[in-house]
Amino acid sequence: MEGETSWISHYIDDMSKDIGDFDSFSELSDEGNKEATTISVDLILPDDLLERILAYLPIASIFRAGSVCKRWHEIVSSKRFLWNFSHVLSQKPWYFMFTSSDEPVGYAYDPILRKWYSIELPCIQTPNWFIASSCGLVCFMDNDSRSELHICNPITKNCKKLEEPPGLKFSDYSALAIAVNRTSHNYTVSIVKSKQVPGNFFQWDLSIHIYDSETMMWATSLTEVLTGWRGGDESVICDGVLYFLIYSTGGGAPENRHGLVTYNLSSRASPLIRSFIPVPGPLTCGRLMNLKEKLVMVGGIGKQDRPDIIKGIGIWVLNGRNWVEVARMPHKFFQGFGELDDVFASSGTDNLIYIQSYGAPALLVFDMNQKLWKWSLKCPVSKKFPLQLFTGFCFEPRLEIAP
């Protein structure tokens, strides 16, 4: 058995190198046909074993494999293959980087093959839409009325438009999150809306709206008035609990300008302020993410005398009601971004965290398991004008999940 596993691993490595050398999902050439005549072992492999081997390939290589020959195309398109693919080790998350401030175009980074791919995103119209992802599905919400929502698989391009959510159509702040059940593939979408009470800057109306894919219905699960705090645009769902950042509206000490609120989607207890958790020190910004059902926050660390000026970036995991620091970005990587704004883009899943400056296409990757920082391969785009902005989001590349 050990010898067989070693042989399969070797074969998978060779196949990945042979069929993983294209830069676009639509870029198919005669290379695959040439390779098909040289892989003689393919002729003696039964379909079930070939399926097992192909299922362990990086997802970009699976797309290439479908162009090698008719037999391989039928295998990677079959329902049985998709089932096998869903039960192998998870693919590492990709990062999609928008390369235009106006059009939803860009490149997706594959950390396994260390390559960028030009892919088109369905549904989304501009890069400034709200974006959340979970287990292969991505949720887009427009930034104008905040009532147009789509769920899609960016790899297969399967897409579904959701019903318009209830509540205020034009809120001052909105936070979007999605959680997919990895077994049933049912999903929950949450929107936290926040709007200033007319004539009172210190009081804000806050509401939470939940969409259930099983019932295909929205429900407004909570409405509250916060005093001294408002909602923002940062939220995530971990293990059935909705977490979102709130921001002080009454001045106060720098370390008290941000806070975390938790909301159990099952018990739905209130008032929210009872679940308040302080952040671990003065932050210039905070980014929340779900890494294996653990809440992780990437935050900009403010200077001691000027807490609104960033001096570094830290990573924390929430353990109960306490933050545990996992890592701080080494100074050489912090300097590598050049002029880093007080706010930045960061998202992650599984064991990878991506960090990106809004002012440049540089992308830094942190591996939570290995505690390793590494720059991605350079994105094939350059900054064309001084005020050009770059942003992006992380998602899991999966074939078997549809909205």
Side-chain angles (χ1 to χ4, degrees):
M1 179 65 71
E2 188 173 328
E4 177 190 356
T5 304
S6 176
W7 171 79
I8 291 177
S9 299
H10 179 71
Y11 188 43
I12 290 172
D13 289 341
D14 287 345
M15 290 172 67
S16 297
K17 294 173 184 175
D18 290 338
I19 61 181
D21 292 331
F22 301 101
D23 294 325
S24 171
F25 276 176
S26 60
E27 183 185 344
L28 301 176
S29 68
D30 292 333
E31 287 294 322
N33 295 327
K34 294 176 184 176
E35 293 297 332
T37 62
T38 61
I39 304 177
S40 58
V41 71
D42 168 50
L43 301 177
I44 61 173
L45 288 178
D47 282 356
D48 58 345
L49 183 55
L50 186 56
E51 284 180 6
R52 283 179 57 198
I53 293 171
L54 292 174
Y56 277 90
L57 288 173
I59 198 166
S61 297
I62 292 175
F63 271 82
R64 309 297 174 257
S67 68
V68 168
C69 62
K70 182 180 179 181
R71 181 191 179 201
W72 285 27
H73 176 76
E74 290 176 348
I75 287 176
V76 300
S77 303
S78 68
K79 290 184 178 180
R80 188 171 72 174
F81 175 79
L82 294 180
W83 187 91
N84 285 332
F85 177 78
S86 68
H87 287 76
V88 301
L89 297 174
S90 63
Q91 302 276 330
K92 288 189 176 181
W94 288 16
Y95 188 85
F96 183 90
M97 183 183 296
F98 291 104
T99 55
S100 168
S101 301
D102 304 311
E103 301 294 327
V105 296
Y107 293 87
Y109 179 68
D110 177 356
I112 297 180
L113 298 179
R114 288 181 59 79
K115 290 178 69 69
W116 290 90
Y117 302 102
S118 175
I119 67 174
E120 295 182 6
L121 295 175
C123 310
I124 185 172
Q125 296 179 15
T126 62
N128 72 342
W129 279 34
F130 293 87
I131 303 173
S133 71
S134 172
C135 192
L137 294 184
V138 179
C139 183
F140 299 116
M141 180 174 72
D142 77 293
N143 197 20
D144 295 324
S145 68
R146 305 181 186 182
S147 59
E148 182 180 344
L149 286 96
H150 300 266
I151 307 290
C152 83
N153 181 325
I155 298 296
T156 65
K157 304 296 191 291
N158 287 335
C159 197
K160 175 183 178 179
K161 185 176 182 179
L162 300 186
E163 295 291 327
E164 186 174 313
L168 295 168
K169 196 163 186 179
F170 296 95
S171 55
D172 294 326
Y173 296 93
S174 298
L176 177 70
I178 180 173
V180 178
N181 185 300
R182 293 182 179 272
T183 303
S184 67
H185 295 173
N186 294 324
Y187 54 88
T188 299
V189 177
S190 67
I191 305 175
V192 181
K193 297 184 178 183
S194 186
K195 188 173 182 63
Q196 182 183 351
V197 173
N200 189 335
F201 181 75
F202 294 100
Q203 288 193 321
W204 290 71
D205 288 317
L206 186 140
S207 58
I208 298 177
H209 312 276
I210 307 295
Y211 178 85
D212 185 342
S213 67
E214 275 194 282
T215 62
M216 294 187 293
M217 294 178 61
W218 286 95
T220 299
S221 61
L222 179 139
T223 57
E224 248 183 56
V225 176
L226 297 183
T227 300
W229 297 91
R230 64 163 177 81
D233 57 4
E234 199 66 32
S235 69
V236 71
I237 299 173
C238 295
D239 198 24
V241 177
L242 171 64
Y243 298 89
F244 57 96
L245 290 179
I246 58 176
Y247 306 82
S248 172
T249 61
E255 62 271 17
N256 296 326
R257 292 190 303 179
H258 298 77
L260 180 75
V261 168
T262 70
Y263 181 71
N264 192 303
L265 295 177
S266 298
S267 62
R268 304 189 176 186
S270 62
L272 287 174
I273 207 66
R274 288 181 183 173
S275 67
F276 181 89
I277 299 174
V279 297
L283 300 179
T284 61
C285 70
R287 303 290 178 242
L288 304 178
M289 56 203 74
N290 179 342
L291 271 64
K292 295 188 173 181
E293 301 307 324
K294 289 284 189 180
L295 177 68
V296 174
M297 181 172 67
V298 179
I301 303 171
K303 292 183 177 180
Q304 195 69 29
D305 55 336
R306 293 286 305 278
D308 56 332
I309 304 296
I310 190 170
K311 70 172 184 179
I313 293 177
I315 300 175
W316 297 268
V317 174
L318 186 66
N319 184 9
R321 294 181 56 84
N322 299 312
W323 294 101
V324 178
E325 185 171 316
V326 175
R328 290 205 181 194
M329 184 185 295
H331 193 61
K332 65 176 182 178
F333 289 107
F334 183 75
Q335 287 184 314
F337 281 108
E339 188 175 344
L340 187 67
D341 292 329
D342 300 330
V343 294
F344 52 85
S346 183
S347 59
T349 189
D350 195 23
N351 289 314
L352 293 187
I353 294 175
Y354 292 96
I355 300 175
Q356 178 192 359
S357 166
Y358 289 130
L363 181 65
L364 185 62
V365 187
F366 178 71
D367 189 306
M368 288 281 284
N369 280 350
Q370 302 178 21
K371 300 296 184 288
L372 180 67
W373 300 87
K374 183 186 295 185
W375 292 107
S376 74
L377 196 70
K378 186 177 179 182
C379 182
V381 67
S382 57
K383 192 166 185 175
K384 297 178 181 178
F385 52 90
L387 297 180
Q388 183 176 358
L389 298 178
F390 299 88
T391 187
F393 64 93
C394 171
F395 69 96
E396 291 183 54
R398 302 183 73 93
L399 296 172
E400 79 285 7
I401 294 182

